[in-house]
Amino acid sequence: AGSQPTSFFGPACITMAMINVTNVSVLNNPSRFFSDFQFEVSFECLAPLSEDIEWKLIYVGSAESDEHDQELDSILVGPMQASSYKIVFQADPPDPLKIPSHDLLGVTVILLSGFFREREFIRIGYYVNNEYDAPELNESPPEPPLHDRLVRTILAEKPRVTRYQIDWQMPPSLPPSLPNENVPPSLPQPAECGVSSGEMMQQVENMQPQPEPMTH
């Protein structure tokens, strides 16, 4: 299947941000459950950065507890000059044995987050639908699950983008959470730019995803 560009990457909510993500394309979608995740991330570095930025990919295993979340991979990019960049972030699939069996099928969330000096400056959330490749298996899911028959579809056209205010000049020795907890009243709060992963999971039951058919 070809890449699918996301639909919401406008101007950054915080105009002083040094990194502005302009687009994310979801590659290899739809795919088998055990296929790697691939995201093509385009972004602008608005001023030279002498330190790396870090990208992380988190798979939310259950709406009931974050103890089932899995960090699939992380990569460092930098140092960077003021310019436009494009990377392909590839990560292993989640371990299905760490996902509660009743949460394996249906809709969940995957989070692509950007960090600078351990401070999160952007979070891009996608809904992910997992189902079997045969209608009879979806109607009567087998026990134990047949992981190699699962198909994963990322709803790439419906990202949830949240940008966070951080101090890009703050020394790394200070607490990472300080910038997000002390946003000046004149600046927009993160909630104005998107939704949290918890809010996304609360919306899962109301979703009726229509995944694309698996291509062979």
Side-chain angles (χ1 to χ4, degrees):
S3 63
Q4 301 182 33
T6 57
S7 61
F8 175 75
F9 286 95
C13 293
I14 309 302
T15 57
M16 295 303 293
M18 297 297 183
I19 298 293
N20 180 38
V21 177
T22 56
N23 189 67
V24 176
S25 294
V26 181
L27 310 180
N28 193 27
N29 183 51
S31 64
R32 293 289 176 179
F33 183 87
F34 285 121
S35 297
D36 288 349
F37 286 93
Q38 295 181 40
F39 293 88
E40 183 183 83
V41 185
S42 300
F43 60 93
E44 300 170 331
C45 182
L46 303 181
L49 288 177
S50 59
E51 300 180 41
D52 296 336
I53 61 171
E54 181 178 23
W55 296 99
K56 293 183 180 181
L57 193 62
I58 305 293
Y59 187 90
V60 178
S62 174
E64 299 172 359
S65 172
D66 59 7
E67 69 180 27
H68 300 292
D69 291 0
Q70 298 183 47
E71 181 176 323
L72 303 182
D73 206 347
S74 65
I75 59 171
L76 297 175
V77 180
M80 292 179 291
Q81 299 298 316
S83 185
S84 297
Y85 294 86
K86 181 183 293 185
I87 63 170
V88 175
F89 186 3
Q90 182 167 320
D92 292 335
D95 182 349
L97 300 180
K98 296 181 179 179
I99 302 172
S101 58
H102 61 275
D103 289 318
L104 189 60
L105 293 177
V107 182
T108 186
V109 170
I110 193 165
L111 303 170
L112 175 64
S113 294
F115 294 81
F116 180 70
R117 292 177 173 173
E118 301 182 357
R119 302 178 182 93
E120 186 175 22
F121 62 88
I122 191 168
R123 178 182 300 175
I124 306 164
Y126 293 94
Y127 294 108
V128 181
N129 186 54
N130 295 307
E131 63 178 1
Y132 283 109
D133 58 6
E136 59 272 17
L137 294 178
N138 289 312
E139 294 171 3
S140 299
E143 287 291 344
L146 303 177
H147 300 134
D148 60 343
R149 297 292 300 275
L150 289 172
V151 175
R152 177 186 73 217
T153 303
I154 301 173
L155 306 186
E157 73 280 2
K158 295 182 179 179
R160 299 295 184 267
V161 182
T162 305
R163 292 182 173 89
Y164 297 92
Q165 165 71 8
I166 69 171
D167 188 340
W168 293 80
Q169 305 301 323
M170 180 174 288
S173 60
L174 295 180
S177 60
L178 185 61
N180 287 344
E181 294 175 354
N182 294 274
V183 179
S186 59
L187 293 175
Q189 300 294 320
E192 296 180 20
C193 308
V195 295
S196 68
S197 58
E199 291 171 320
M200 289 185 70
M201 292 305 295
Q202 290 175 6
Q203 297 171 13
V204 161
E205 294 183 356
N206 298 325
M207 294 187 62
Q208 296 181 351
Q210 299 179 351
E212 297 180 8
M214 185 70 179
T215 57
H216 298 282

